[in-house]
Amino acid sequence: MTALASLRLPTRAPGGARADGRRALLQPGVLIPLAVLALAVLWALTPGLFTSQSPTETVAPSLLAPSSEHWFGTDATGRDLYARVVYGASQSIIGAIVAVAVGLVVGTALGVTAGAVGGALDEVLMRLVDVLLAIPGLLLSLSVVILLGFGTTNAAIAVGVTSIAVFARLARSRVVSVRVSDFVEAAYGSGGTFFGVLWRHVLPNSLTPVIALAALQLGSAILQISTLGFLGYGAPPPTPEWGLLIAEGRNYVATAWWLTVLPGAVVVLVVLATNRLSQAIGRKDAA
């Protein structure tokens, strides 16, 4: 009864629900995270619009503190740190999007198949998911990236593999809840086919929490890719990548704090923004 109650149609008119959703997404607490994410995506897509400095060439004396000329200071070889952070967004953000796409597509496909078909196939697929969940995420991603080779793309695929199980479990649980609902039974009773009912009724009512999870996993993927870059499994130097930038500055924490603090602050802000956005999506869907 609890699952059925959560699936009742809203008593408000559809237009009112959409208006409430728009108002929820236009609140200041959501607009600021959206602006942060938009800036990070623009950095990743068009870094040249935000800085004229080269991310790999020496442009000033080494270890200059942040100033009006070099907003984030310079690193140990005299490269502009702000330019490296901006250009590093393409490695971290795009890599995280690839990772989430891998987990979303593969995990949702497994979860939907298991939940919709059920029986022995459900048992087999969920036991595979349990195996993935039993392996620590960092260990699994390290194993995959070692097998595939170093680089941001391989690191993104490795991080995506670690999120397959999470998407699969959520998608399966939602499909199992929805497929026993009254409107699904009515669709079958009116002559609906298995795939027709699955496409028209089960999936639209099952995947909204999965989309919210994808927004949440984006922040997690950025952290994991940065962790792999920090450990040396991501983009090779001198290619800028957020985790690599933090790793390069860890030996200068006492004398040049900005080398680790400022790239780390960018990572934290972007991750917090994705988390806030995922909460807003979840509340909008609940409304």
Side-chain angles (χ1 to χ4, degrees), residues 191-253:
T193 63
F194 173 80
F195 289 105
V197 173
L198 179 66
W199 181 258
R200 295 179 183 178
H201 301 283
V202 176
L203 290 182
N205 289 280
S206 301
L207 296 185
T208 46
V210 178
I211 302 303
L213 176 63
L216 183 64
Q217 285 296 115
L218 181 64
S220 177
I222 293 173
L223 282 179
Q224 292 184 62
I225 290 175
S226 297
T227 300
L228 292 176
F230 182 88
L231 296 175
Y233 295 100
T239 303
E241 190 272 327
W242 288 348
L244 177 62
L245 297 182
I246 298 173
E248 290 177 341
R250 68 183 184 274
N251 295 326
Y252 303 92
V253 174

Side-chain angles (χ1 to χ4, degrees), residues 30-88:
V30 179
L31 289 177
I32 294 175
L34 280 175
V36 171
L37 285 178
L39 179 61
V41 171
L42 288 175
W43 278 0
L45 298 177
T46 58
L49 294 179
F50 297 91
T51 178
S52 59
Q53 303 284 357
S54 170
T56 57
E57 296 179 1
T58 299
V59 297
S62 62
L63 302 180
L64 288 180
S67 63
S68 59
E69 185 176 359
H70 302 285
W71 292 356
F72 286 10
T74 60
D75 64 9
T77 60
R79 296 171 296 194
D80 186 83
L81 185 59
Y82 172 71
R84 288 180 63 74
V85 170
V86 170
Y87 278 88

